[in-house]
Amino acid sequence: MLFRSMNTEARLLSRVVKDRNISPLLSNSVNESWFADEADRRLWLFVRDHFVKYGECPSEELVTENFPTYKFVDSDDNLDFLIDDIMAKRRKALTVGMIRDAIDAIEKSNDHEDALLKIQRGLVRMEEDGLSQSRDYDLIGDPMKRWDEYLERKNLPNGLRGIPTGFPTIDSATSGLQKGQLIVIVAPPKTGKSTLALQIAHNVHLRGAVPLFQSFEMSNNEQVARYDAMRARMSHHRLLTGTMTDEEEARYKFKLENLAKMDHSFWLADSGAASTVSGITSKLQMLQPDILFIDG
């Protein structure tokens, strides 16, 4: 029983059952992957399923009836500490494993792309396992900070809290694009939604933000031509067919030269590698854009 006495997971489950309080675990997205020991994993699934079905944590007597060989561990530590301890250890273990896999890919096959993919998958797994930091907010924690934020907004040009889209009507309704927002553009087919989204991405890029544009409608080659025509304000058809006027050619070259001088990226996602939620998450972790656009 020496191992179990040092097992944080067992101490956590023992406190949950003895206190009959599972809420902190659910709010921190605890799942079976958090428990390395098979006995702890089975007990967690039993406790969770019992709570889902009956709305309460099972009693110690009920657990003992179903798991007669399970030994509870005495611990004076509170649940929050035990959860934080497990999360810290799991983050460390996953980080070390992720880095080790990436190093092995480089050393064994000199495959840097595979190394990056292993890091991406590790970050996605960390997110899926509920190991990201909590975003819970205490309203009474620092209320005067909100007064300072109001004063900042009061002095903002045109009342914009976020990045301007370049469209005054949209900016007036949204106060600009802000962190944490999900904005959906809804309209009938073939009415310009994709063009509008790409134009907004272009506008925010000019403002210094880094966009990531994921299209399920066009390939990246098609998107590049479309973007260049938009940026240079010229005929998309004449760009594709090589029939631009001399003035358009000069303007196109000038825009490309200016684009080369910019010091922040504008990413077009590889639709093949970012066609799922986990794939897009990997791209976000790797490229770290300010704004994500999904067209499709």
Side-chain angles (χ1 to χ4, degrees):
M1 296 308 300
L2 177 62
F3 170 76
R4 182 162 291 280
S5 67
M6 300 297 291
N7 184 342
T8 306
E9 292 88 341
R11 291 158 57 199
L12 175 64
L13 289 173
S14 297
R15 285 306 304 266
V16 166
V17 173
K18 290 186 177 183
D19 295 348
R20 301 195 70 176
N21 181 15
I22 192 177
S23 297
L25 279 70
L26 297 177
S27 65
N28 282 278
S29 303
V30 173
N31 59 64
E32 57 269 26
S33 69
W34 287 42
F35 302 97
D37 184 82
E38 178 64 25
D40 294 333
R41 189 181 306 116
R42 288 191 294 109
L43 176 56
W44 160 249
L45 291 173
F46 175 80
V47 171
R48 184 198 64 188
D49 292 346
H50 184 92
F51 179 84
V52 170
K53 187 173 183 179
Y54 300 105
E56 64 177 8
C57 184
S59 65
E60 188 173 347
E61 291 76 17
L62 183 59
V63 170
T64 301
E65 287 178 12
N66 287 270
F67 298 87
T69 61
Y70 191 88
K71 303 297 182 182
F72 289 102
V73 179
D74 292 330
S75 174
D76 294 328
D77 297 317
N78 63 44
L79 286 176
D80 290 334
F81 167 77
L82 294 171
I83 292 172
D84 288 345
D85 188 50
I86 293 176
M87 290 181 70
K89 290 176 179 176
R90 283 186 56 76
R91 276 197 295 265
K92 179 179 179 181
L94 286 174
T95 300
V96 170
M98 174 178 62
I99 294 174
R100 184 181 294 118
D101 290 343
I103 292 174
D104 287 344
I106 294 174
E107 290 183 343
K108 293 179 180 178
S109 57
N110 198 31
D111 191 339
H112 295 78
E113 289 297 324
D114 185 44
L116 286 174
L117 286 174
K118 291 184 183 300
I119 292 175
Q120 292 175 38
R121 294 187 187 113
L123 293 171
V124 170
R125 181 185 174 190
M126 198 173 295
E127 186 75 23
E128 290 175 344
D129 282 356
L131 297 175
S132 58
Q133 297 296 323
S134 173
R135 296 178 178 85
D136 296 339
Y137 185 84
D138 182 3
L139 277 171
I140 65 172
D142 187 6
M144 293 310 298
K145 180 180 179 182
R146 301 201 288 277
W147 173 252
D148 294 335
E149 292 172 349
Y150 166 75
L151 293 179
E152 290 181 8
R153 292 196 299 272
K154 182 179 179 180
N155 296 317
L156 288 173
N158 300 318
L160 291 180
R161 299 177 61 187
I163 302 172
T165 65
F167 294 88
T169 303
I170 296 178
D171 290 336
S172 176
T174 63
S175 294
L177 304 178
Q178 302 163 53
K179 290 183 178 180
Q181 282 187 332
L182 171 63
I183 297 176
V184 182
I185 300 173
V186 181
K190 306 300 180 183
T191 53
K193 296 186 299 296
S194 298
T195 301
L196 175 62
L198 187 60
Q199 182 67 61
I200 292 175
H202 167 60
N203 292 342
V204 301
H205 182 243
L206 292 179
R207 292 276 183 170
V210 176
L212 169 60
F213 199 97
Q214 162 71 70
S215 175
F216 295 106
E217 309 257 334
M218 298 184 183
S219 69
N220 279 350
N221 286 337
E222 291 173 311
Q223 287 285 79
V224 169
R226 188 175 169 210
Y227 171 77
D228 283 348
M230 176 185 293
R231 194 169 194 274
R233 299 184 181 276
M234 63 190 186
S235 167
H236 179 239
H237 175 73
R238 288 199 292 274
L239 171 63
L240 293 179
T241 56
T243 56
M244 290 189 293
T245 66
D246 291 343
E247 190 275 333
E248 286 178 327
E249 288 180 350
R251 187 164 69 250
Y252 180 41
K253 183 179 179 182
F254 176 74
K255 292 293 184 180
L256 292 178
E257 290 172 343
N258 283 344
L259 192 62
K261 298 175 183 177
M262 302 189 78
D263 58 1
H264 56 288
S265 299
F266 186 141
W267 295 104
L268 298 178
D270 177 2
S271 59
S275 58
T276 63
V277 172
S278 59
I280 291 174
T281 302
S282 295
K283 289 292 182 183
L284 293 174
Q285 296 283 2
M286 183 175 68
L287 302 177
Q288 294 292 307
D290 296 308
I291 303 176
L292 170 65
F293 293 81
I294 297 181
D295 177 30

